Amino acid sequence: MLNSCMRWFLRFLVSLLAIIVHPLTYLINIKRNKKCPPPTNPLLFKSATTLAMMIRNKQITSEEVVSAYIERCKEVNPYLNAIVEPRYDMAIKEARCIDKMIASNERSNEDLAKEYPLLGIPMTVKESIAVEGMSNDCGTVFPYRMPAKKDADIVRRARAAGAIPIAVTNTPQLCMNWETYNNVSGLTMNPYDQKRTTGGSSGGEAALIASAASIIGVGSDIAGSLRLPPMFNGIFGHKPTPKLLSIEGHVPDCLDPEFDEYFALGPITRYAEDLPLLLKVLRQPTGPDVPLDKPVDLTRLKFYYMEGDGSNVTDKIGSDVKQALEKAKAYITATYNVEVKELNIANIEHMWEISVRVLFNIQHVRNIYTDPEKRDQLISVWPEVLKKMIGMSDHNFTCVAYGPIKKFFDALPKNYYKKLLKVFDGIKSEFNEALSDDAVLLFPAFPYPAHLHYRIFYKFLNCGYLTIFNALGLPATACPLGLTNKGLPVGIQIVANKCNDHLTLAVAKEFEKAFGGWTPPNKDLFNSIKTA
Ligand SMILES: *[C@@H]1O[C@H](CO)[C@@H](O)[C@H](O)[C@H]1NC(C)=O
Ligand SMILES: *[C@@H]1O[C@H](CO)[C@@H](O)[C@H](O)[C@H]1NC(C)=O
Ligand SMILES: *[C@@H]1O[C@H](CO)[C@@H](O)[C@H](O)[C@H]1NC(C)=O
């Protein structure tokens, strides 16, 4: 197991990196200081659930809604650089068709609600998820373009339910980073502060949804990508129980049949009530039996909390996240008269290492070294590493580093890995017992709110807050809990046992009611303009 020497070494390494990266990021980001304007159109403040109802009731047309969102995309994208490829003209055409169908009065409102729950609703899609005819390169430079040939499974289901994709959104190269930049579309910025990251890898989605330029979207998560960007942007994201949604149609894909035990696609939304709506539309019929419609009685739930994994490898949570967690705990205690108990899991301090090892043990994830002829083999990694060192590589650091790191982990003794897995089994069954079917766990998503661009290079060890639930395969909802004094979003993860997604979704909805959920970016800017 990672002994105290190794822990100390990892901490020492990131402290060294911090000495270089920390001051550098002030300089690099100095010119990024434009303020994304706040939304004003009242249409942009309604949930997808409400909008879909209004469209069905003919109180408003799909074209009006889609146009409002397209206008907003055009307004904010110069500040955020979140869009890889828009689909505006097609979207308007599709909206008009839907409006005609509704006007024809052939179906009752109830039938429409049942058959097309997302009828006329605009959506955005992370570029790594295929939308027919749209860019699907995941930030990798190719000499030619390879638009997606057909929709990914979840996109097909969303469109069959009446949703209209309006754009595909930015990711880090091959989704391999917790910040969002690549050499095809560049850097995506946080709507609350341009100098700061939107997180990754679903960074484009989170930036657009938080700036009210999209109402619902879909992303993917192998190491926190459906939770970190929502946390950094003050919106909702949900990593479902494994296999609830099909992962077909994602770039990068993977030959390992166990990939979908750890990797998931899922919804990102601005309003909590839209998460279950989307999950019900997107789930695959062969997936696990998650009772999304089952009513949840919060008075009968058990609540646990943890402040981290106790590994001493990750940072301890900072004051902003600590306050948010305390606020959530205090609310539960005051409202339901139950204590939020600390969850103690034996050997949890090994979980950081276990999740990193389990995720790096996944074989044949498509990466820049994947042999184009033989999918299950890698080409030599060292030429690309050398090219990167002399500044000649087309690929970003994290993608280049994946090769040597994977080789390093593959070379470690197998006996040792087996020992780790044994410890992991114990941890899994303790979580299973504690959470059962009637408990949720409040857990930080990251120790701090969004940091300046590129600071991930000394904060990456904190991925342990996120990867733990990929390794354990537990559903987790990213839930915003307001803004910090500096005006940055802060939130936590709400976790439950497998197939208990309905519990985390219900608690997220409750916290939204209690703490206001999403807050528009730069709202004060707007108020000062109005009063000036
Ligand atoms: C991509 O890389 C090339 C060469 O390194 C550079 O000239 C170009 O500006 C980069 N583009 C983006 C969008 O970062
Ligand atoms: C973490 O640090 C604390 C205090 O220094 C120490 O008591 C504890 O044993 C450490 N935990 C691990 C897993 O090394
Ligand atoms: C990502 O890679 C491209 C190509 O090497 C480069 O132009 C760009 O600056 C890189 N971005 C970062 C932040 O490393």
Side-chain angles (χ1 to χ4, degrees), residues 380-392:
S380 172
V381 306
W382 303 112
E384 195 63 44
V385 173
L386 276 178
K387 266 167 87 182
K388 186 74 194 171
M389 282 159 99
I390 55 171
M392 302 275 293

Side-chain angles (χ1 to χ4, degrees), residues 141 182-186 391 393-394:
V141 178
N182 62 62
N183 196 37
V184 183
S185 324
S393 172
D394 275 338

